[in-house]
């Protein structure tokens, strides 16, 4: 956790929106959001707040930011924090029910409390054969879900390949290796990734084996976005070379 000072101003805040924020904070063991002013303290944050009932303006002055936001530049950090709090007050509970313009076109993102970094690749497999999950090895964080079989398709629609999350309240990000085997039983596809805020990230895909030279691998949308938490949603397209 890092001590910082920024002031976030939220205009036209209703009683319902304040109640949504209060409920979210209490559900995540952060207490003190009572009345029109005070200090909220939780496991990974602390902020002062002041609500003006005449103008309906809520001011939040963070004193301690979670590790993932504290590492960002002030401009990006303020935008990320403002959007996260706005989403919570809007009744989303976090970000996972929101359609975000910055989410690379995908309809939702997870928003697990204290989990700051997410790598969620998508894949279009038009290689001619199916892929099957082989193994995974994590340096930081966990793989919370993965697709066991990636079917060959003529469609250009992508499917979610896996979701990798940083550990709760971790400041070291998420990183590891996931391996799939091509349908010939000998060629493997290795995916290596790392994400720790939008300024430190990598995502690579490589093929090794008899058919490696016959596969063309293209990665698009390979830049993270910050929407409260940090997300990397690359799209892997595999076709015959």
């Amino acid at each position: 956790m890092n001590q910082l000072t920024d002031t976030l101003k939220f205009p036209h805040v209703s009683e319902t929106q304040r109640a949504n924020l209060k409920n979210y904070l209490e559900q995540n063991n952060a207490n003190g959001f009572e009345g029109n002013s005070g200090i909220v303290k939780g496991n990974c944050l602390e902020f002062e707040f002041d609500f003006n009932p005449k103008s309906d303006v809520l001011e939040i002055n963070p004193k301690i930011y979670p590790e993932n936001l504290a590492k960002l530049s002030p401009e990006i950090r303020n935008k990320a924090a403002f959007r996260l709090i706005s989403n919570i007050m809007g009744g989303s509970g976090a970000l996972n029910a929101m359609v975000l313009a910055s989410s690379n076109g995908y309809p939702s993102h997870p928003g697990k409390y204290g989990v700051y970094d997410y790598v969620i690749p998508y894949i279009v497999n038009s290689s001619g054969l199916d892929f099957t999950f082989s193994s995974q090895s994590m340096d930081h964080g966990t793989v919370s879900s993965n697709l066991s079989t990636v079917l060959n398709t003529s469609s250009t629609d992508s499917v979610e390949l896996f979701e990798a999350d940083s550990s709760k309240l971790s400041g070291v990000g998420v990183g590891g290796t996931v391996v799939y085997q091509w349908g010939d039983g000998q060629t493997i596809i290795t995916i290596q990734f790392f994400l720790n805020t939008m300024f430190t990230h990598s995502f690579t895909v490589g093929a090794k084996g008899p058919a490696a030279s016959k596969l063309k691998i293209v990665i698009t949308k390979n830049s993270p976005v910050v929407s409260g938490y940090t997300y990397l949603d690359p799209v892997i397209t595999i076709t015959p070379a």
Side-chain angles (χ1 to χ4, degrees):
M1 294 182 289
N2 290 263
Q3 295 190 12
L4 301 165
T5 301
D6 300 305
T7 299
L8 308 174
K9 293 185 179 182
F10 301 86
H12 314 299
V13 176
S14 68
E15 288 298 319
T16 299
Q17 290 174 316
R18 292 175 65 198
N20 288 339
L21 180 56
K22 181 177 185 294
N23 290 337
Y24 177 83
L25 291 168
E26 290 179 349
Q27 288 170 6
N28 291 286
N29 301 314
N31 300 303
F33 195 69
E34 303 282 352
N36 290 333
S37 62
I39 299 176
V40 173
K41 294 183 179 181
N43 294 332
C44 58
L45 82 162
E46 179 180 329
F47 64 84
E48 297 176 348
F49 71 93
D50 183 77
F51 176 71
N52 187 329
K54 293 183 178 180
S55 62
D56 291 332
V57 172
L58 173 65
E59 292 190 4
I60 290 180
N61 186 6
K63 297 299 183 182
I64 298 177
Y65 267 120
E67 191 81 22
N68 68 318
L69 294 180
K71 291 182 178 181
L72 301 176
S73 67
E75 180 181 1
I76 295 174
R77 181 178 64 236
N78 289 354
K79 289 181 179 179
F82 184 89
R83 187 160 205 172
L84 175 62
I85 295 170
S86 296
N87 289 340
I88 293 169
M89 289 196 296
S92 66
L95 294 171
N96 49 328
M98 299 299 294
V99 177
L100 301 177
S102 62
S103 65
N104 285 341
Y106 296 111
S108 65
H109 273 142
K112 304 169 187 176
Y113 178 73
V115 178
Y116 305 141
D117 301 295
Y118 300 81
V119 176
I120 310 174
Y122 290 74
I123 189 168
V124 180
N125 176 23
S126 300
S127 66
L129 293 175
D130 298 343
F131 290 93
T132 56
F133 174 79
S134 177
S135 65
Q136 66 188 42
S137 175
M138 296 297 293
D139 299 316
H140 303 290
T142 59
V143 173
S144 63
S145 64
N146 61 62
L147 190 62
S148 59
T149 302
V150 184
L151 299 177
N152 178 66
T153 179
S154 59
S155 171
T156 58
D157 293 336
S158 60
V159 294
E160 183 179 313
L161 189 58
F162 61 82
E163 178 188 322
D165 307 342
S166 60
S167 299
K168 189 173 182 180
L169 303 180
S170 169
V172 297
V174 56
T177 302
V178 175
V179 178
Y180 279 81
Q181 188 174 66
W182 199 44
D184 66 350
Q186 302 178 67
T187 303
I188 61 171
I189 304 295
T190 301
I191 303 165
Q192 295 180 306
F193 56 91
F194 179 73
L195 176 66
N196 186 13
T197 79
M198 68 180 299
F199 300 108
T200 308
H201 63 91
S202 63
F203 187 90
T204 62
V205 182
K208 184 177 181 180
S213 62
K214 300 177 182 179
L215 300 176
K216 180 181 179 181
I217 301 173
V218 176
I219 304 172
T220 56
K221 299 184 178 180
N222 196 12
S223 296
V225 295
V226 177
S227 295
Y229 301 130
T230 309
Y231 304 90
L232 184 60
D233 302 309
V235 177
I236 307 163
T237 301
I238 303 180
T239 58

